[in-house]
Amino acid sequence: MPTASGHTEAIRASQVIDTNVKDRRGNKIGEIEDIMLDKLSNHIMFAVVSFGGFLGVGEKYHPLPWEILNYDEDESAYVVDLTKQQLEAAPADSIEELTSGDGTRYRDLAYDYYKTPRYWDTLSH
Amino acid sequence: MPTASGHTEAIRASQVIDTNVKDRRGNKIGEIEDIMLDKLSNHIMFAVVSFGGFLGVGEKYHPLPWEILNYDEDESAYVVDLTKQQLEAAPADSIEELTSGDGTRYRDLAYDYYKTPRYWDTLSH
């Protein structure tokens, strides 16, 4: 069911963009910059997250499988169970690069890095 | 491959929002208002399209399966092969109602109306 903040199983893209991302301790570490959509298979490819203030100036954008972003009502934020060390070693690049090659390069890198099941391997259509 | 306008198989949600929707003859009939995402299954549920100027003042928002929106590079717009009569009889409501009940009510109505294959019937995970 819809909640006061509008974050539910069904969620509008415009409400996701600019939402804060926090760590397990409730510290803000970044925010959702955009959502990459897979027009071909009708899937969400990955969220584009900026951890600039957390990882340092000039940080690039991180592709994150949406499955690892858990919305926390109390925090009004997506919570990720990742350490600074994990994020520093994670796939990241400019937004232009994240979109290049139809996004599959960074999609694959991200799903591998975060060990998320590949939705495109189980497509039945 | 990415195009000049950035509309490809991989597309950023922020670039889709506010994009024009045209009919087959190139007339602007509406625009993309938002995209409803299915957090549970990682799918795009439907596009939220406003046909206000085309169908009349006070028009509600239409849920459209993204499959029936075809991006036309030359028009810089999504093109739909639908008549005014078809749109007038199509499912439409306020944005709040489109999101209610986790969006499945209007998702189902839209996919039925436009005879689009139901992605949720073929989910393997």
Side-chain angles (χ1 to χ4, degrees), chain A residues 17 32-33 37 58 91 116:
Chain A
I17 293 169
I32 310 281
E33 184 74 17
L37 305 173
T116 313

mmCIF file of all heavy atoms in Angstrom, chain A residues 17 32-33 37 58 91 116:
data_model
loop_
_atom_site.group_PDB
_atom_site.id
_atom_site.type_symbol
_atom_site.label_atom_id
_atom_site.label_comp_id
_atom_site.label_asym_id
_atom_site.label_seq_id
_atom_site.Cartn_x
_atom_site.Cartn_y
_atom_site.Cartn_z
ATOM 1 N N ILE A 17 14.370 9.855 -7.762
ATOM 2 C CA ILE A 17 15.500 10.725 -8.068
ATOM 3 C C ILE A 17 15.662 11.771 -6.957
ATOM 4 O O ILE A 17 14.680 12.350 -6.498
ATOM 5 C CB ILE A 17 15.301 11.393 -9.456
ATOM 6 C CG1 ILE A 17 15.367 10.323 -10.549
ATOM 7 C CG2 ILE A 17 16.335 12.482 -9.700
ATOM 8 C CD1 ILE A 17 14.940 10.797 -11.935
ATOM 9 N N ILE A 32 20.377 9.321 -4.903
ATOM 10 C CA ILE A 32 20.028 8.767 -6.206
ATOM 11 C C ILE A 32 20.072 9.888 -7.236
ATOM 12 O O ILE A 32 19.374 10.886 -7.098
ATOM 13 C CB ILE A 32 18.610 8.150 -6.207
ATOM 14 C CG1 ILE A 32 18.411 7.200 -5.026
ATOM 15 C CG2 ILE A 32 18.332 7.471 -7.551
ATOM 16 C CD1 ILE A 32 18.991 5.838 -5.163
ATOM 17 N N GLU A 33 20.903 9.723 -8.224
ATOM 18 C CA GLU A 33 21.055 10.754 -9.254
ATOM 19 C C GLU A 33 20.087 10.515 -10.414
ATOM 20 O O GLU A 33 19.520 11.448 -10.978
ATOM 21 C CB GLU A 33 22.497 10.714 -9.773
ATOM 22 C CG GLU A 33 22.837 11.790 -10.784
ATOM 23 C CD GLU A 33 22.985 13.154 -10.161
ATOM 24 O OE1 GLU A 33 23.140 13.232 -8.914
ATOM 25 O OE2 GLU A 33 22.930 14.156 -10.899
ATOM 26 N N LEU A 37 17.055 2.863 -17.372
ATOM 27 C CA LEU A 37 15.994 1.947 -17.770
ATOM 28 C C LEU A 37 16.410 1.144 -18.992
ATOM 29 O O LEU A 37 17.101 1.651 -19.869
ATOM 30 C CB LEU A 37 14.720 2.740 -18.092
ATOM 31 C CG LEU A 37 14.233 3.668 -16.970
ATOM 32 C CD1 LEU A 37 13.073 4.522 -17.466
ATOM 33 C CD2 LEU A 37 13.829 2.870 -15.756
ATOM 34 N N GLY A 58 34.999 15.018 -6.734
ATOM 35 C CA GLY A 58 35.333 14.479 -8.044
ATOM 36 C C GLY A 58 34.956 13.027 -8.223
ATOM 37 O O GLY A 58 35.252 12.417 -9.239
ATOM 38 N N PRO A 91 32.455 -0.438 -9.220
ATOM 39 C CA PRO A 91 32.394 0.198 -10.537
ATOM 40 C C PRO A 91 31.819 1.609 -10.426
ATOM 41 O O PRO A 91 30.838 1.820 -9.713
ATOM 42 C CB PRO A 91 31.429 -0.702 -11.326
ATOM 43 C CG PRO A 91 31.428 -2.012 -10.609
ATOM 44 C CD PRO A 91 31.672 -1.680 -9.166
ATOM 45 N N THR A 116 24.597 -9.683 -7.520
ATOM 46 C CA THR A 116 23.143 -9.636 -7.656
ATOM 47 C C THR A 116 22.727 -10.537 -8.809
ATOM 48 O O THR A 116 23.389 -10.554 -9.850
ATOM 49 C CB THR A 116 22.704 -8.177 -7.968
ATOM 50 O OG1 THR A 116 23.377 -7.300 -7.065
ATOM 51 C CG2 THR A 116 21.199 -8.020 -7.811
#
